[in-house]
Amino acid sequence: MREFEEIRKDFPMLKEFTYLDSASTSLTPIPVVEAMNDYYYNYNSNTGRGNYRIAIKSTAKLEDAREKIAKFINGNHDEIVFTKNTTEAINMVANGLRFEKGDNVIVSSIEHHSNLVPWLNLNDVKTKIAKINNDYTVNPEDVFDLIDESTKLIAISHISNVFGSMQDVEEISKIAKENSVLFLVDAAQSVGYTPINVKKLNPDFMAFPGHKGLLGPVGTGFLYLKKEIADDLMIKNLGGGTVTNIEGDEFRLEDIPYKFESGTHNISGIIGLSKAIDYINNIKIENIRKYCNKLTNELYEKIHSIKKVEVYGNLNNIHHTVSFNVRGLNPYDVSKILDETSNICIRSGFHCSIPSLQSIGINSTIRASIHCYNNFKDLEKLYDGLKLISQLS
Ligand SMILES: Cc1ncc(COP(=O)(O)O)c(C=O)c1O
């Protein structure tokens, strides 16, 4: 394996910036950008349509990406539906399931809005909320207690984008199966950081970004859609690529996954994502996991050691994301000062998860999040900046 300091050179932006916002979107390594450029320079063409050679090549590349993604999560290629992000994948499920009046869906109190609003938006379907404990995780038994005969689905994020806590999705999956309830996992913050095996975890749906932990380009994501359940899902977005025949006003749908993918794909993005998975596989997910855990622990300890700084999250269960506040200062001002004085890119606000912050009685935080291209010097830089700023309060 290449050393992480070598890997860092594949991300030219790091020469100028200390990037600590990977939970929003990660940086993209040079080989991924080059794979996308290669498509545009050399075989730019639509997929699944033309029979000229470059169109056959781009189609093959797209299907190769699907195969690679499936292998990466131990699924089958026809269970992978390309989307533009995690949010679109979750919405496909929320709007595709055949709910009956009075059904309910269970989520946790620390979901990202993308795994909350699509459920809240359903007519005649109640959203039940499992509260988190002091350790920022949901107790699977609390999820169990919320299940009743009208529960259709449990939808839980694997890792919190605010507190970095990992949920016991294995146990929640078992509970869902034992009670004949569908199970959706929002993997926005876990894929690319921790191994994912859908055969073992056994979700019915799993929503993924390409642009976060996987180091793929923005505009990419995918839905894992278990084969046995796929035909039960209504398709809300139809058009080119989704039908095999039309007679009069009758049309025949394509097989899975194509019937879920209407119109032209983000072809260069998907080709980039495919390269990103090669990139991750070369480093090995286990190495990324270990290295990021070390960095995260150091990040937590360092921030925690600064007087006047309050850190949220549990050191025993924290993954690549640390939220905190400097007492007496507005988080927005802190991130702005870090940017303008030290070129540190860090997010502040409610992180598209107002309920997460409400669950601990605050309304915004500063959030540092890392990936394998960060190093201990980046953490030192943040520490130095924060120490200075904390003297302002
Ligand atoms: C837990 C979680 N779910 C969903 C999303 C939405 O992801 P995307 O931007 O890929 O739609 C995010 C984004 O930060 C997230 O952290």
Side-chain angles (χ1 to χ4, degrees), residues 206-251:
M206 201 153 178
F208 295 90
H211 65 104
K212 295 183 193 272
L214 287 176
L215 307 177
V218 289
T220 60
F222 53 98
L223 172 69
Y224 163 77
L225 179 53
K226 194 192 273 172
K227 225 184 221 171
E228 294 85 330
I229 211 90
D231 285 329
D232 295 344
L233 216 59
M234 293 182 287
I235 304 165
K236 295 291 180 179
N237 204 12
L238 285 160
T242 59
V243 293
T244 54
N245 194 20
I246 301 183
E247 277 184 30
D249 54 7
E250 297 285 313
F251 58 87

Side-chain angles (χ1 to χ4, degrees), residues 57-70 82 270 274 278:
K57 177 169 176 177
S58 55
T59 304
K61 286 269 187 189
L62 189 108
E63 291 310 320
D64 184 46
R66 199 189 304 275
E67 195 70 51
K68 222 175 267 177
I69 290 168
F82 292 120
I270 293 169
S274 178
D278 289 341

Side-chain angles (χ1 to χ4, degrees), residues 206-343:
M206 201 153 178
F208 295 90
H211 65 104
K212 295 183 193 272
L214 287 176
L215 307 177
V218 289
T220 60
F222 53 98
L223 172 69
Y224 163 77
L225 179 53
K226 194 192 273 172
K227 225 184 221 171
E228 294 85 330
I229 211 90
D231 285 329
D232 295 344
L233 216 59
M234 293 182 287
I235 304 165
K236 295 291 180 179
N237 204 12
L238 285 160
T242 59
V243 293
T244 54
N245 194 20
I246 301 183
E247 277 184 30
D249 54 7
E250 297 285 313
F251 58 87
R252 183 188 296 206
L253 285 172
E254 261 285 6
D255 289 336
I256 53 166
Y258 309 108
K259 64 180 181 177
F260 293 101
E261 296 176 345
S262 60
T264 298
H265 283 290
N266 173 5
I267 303 166
S268 67
I270 293 169
I271 288 167
L273 176 57
S274 178
K275 192 72 185 176
I277 290 183
D278 289 341
Y279 190 86
I280 297 265
N281 281 336
N282 274 336
I283 307 174
K284 290 197 175 67
I285 195 82
E286 194 47 30
N287 292 326
I288 294 176
R289 193 183 69 79
K290 281 192 195 143
Y291 179 64
C292 285
N293 279 348
K294 262 197 230 163
L295 283 177
T296 312
N297 288 352
E298 174 79 3
L299 176 63
Y300 183 100
E301 300 275 18
K302 270 201 152 6
I303 298 174
H304 192 64
S305 71
I306 305 172
K307 262 200 224 150
K308 295 195 193 161
V309 171
E310 186 162 5
V311 190
Y312 314 101
N314 171 7
L315 187 55
N316 295 323
N317 179 6
I318 196 157
H319 302 268
H320 63 80
T321 293
V322 180
S323 265
F324 57 95
N325 270 317
V326 181
R327 281 185 214 106
L329 292 181
N330 183 321
Y332 178 87
D333 293 338
V334 176
S335 60
K336 204 83 194 122
I337 297 170
L338 287 168
D339 175 30
E340 289 180 5
T341 61
S342 316
N343 275 356

Side-chain angles (χ1 to χ4, degrees), residues 23-24 84-88 90 110-115 157-161 186-189 208-212 220-221 347 351-352 367:
S24 290
K84 68 173 188 283
N85 50 37
T86 323
T87 308
E88 188 177 49
I90 296 171
I110 52 169
E111 296 308 317
H112 188 281
H113 296 167
S114 293
N115 191 32
S157 55
H158 198 175
I159 294 181
S160 155
N161 67 308
D186 170 354
Q189 295 297 336
F208 295 90
H211 65 104
K212 295 183 193 272
T220 60
R347 185 160 164 195
H351 316 298
C352 298
R367 183 187 73 178

Side-chain angles (χ1 to χ4, degrees), residues 61-104:
K61 286 269 187 189
L62 189 108
E63 291 310 320
D64 184 46
R66 199 189 304 275
E67 195 70 51
K68 222 175 267 177
I69 290 168
K71 204 165 162 213
F72 190 75
I73 60 166
N74 199 22
N76 302 312
H77 79 279
D78 52 357
E79 294 177 314
I80 306 300
V81 179
F82 292 120
T83 61
K84 68 173 188 283
N85 50 37
T86 323
T87 308
E88 188 177 49
I90 296 171
N91 273 277
M92 278 176 74
V93 179
N95 299 320
L97 282 173
R98 294 170 203 274
F99 286 100
E100 287 174 18
K101 200 172 174 176
D103 279 349
N104 65 65

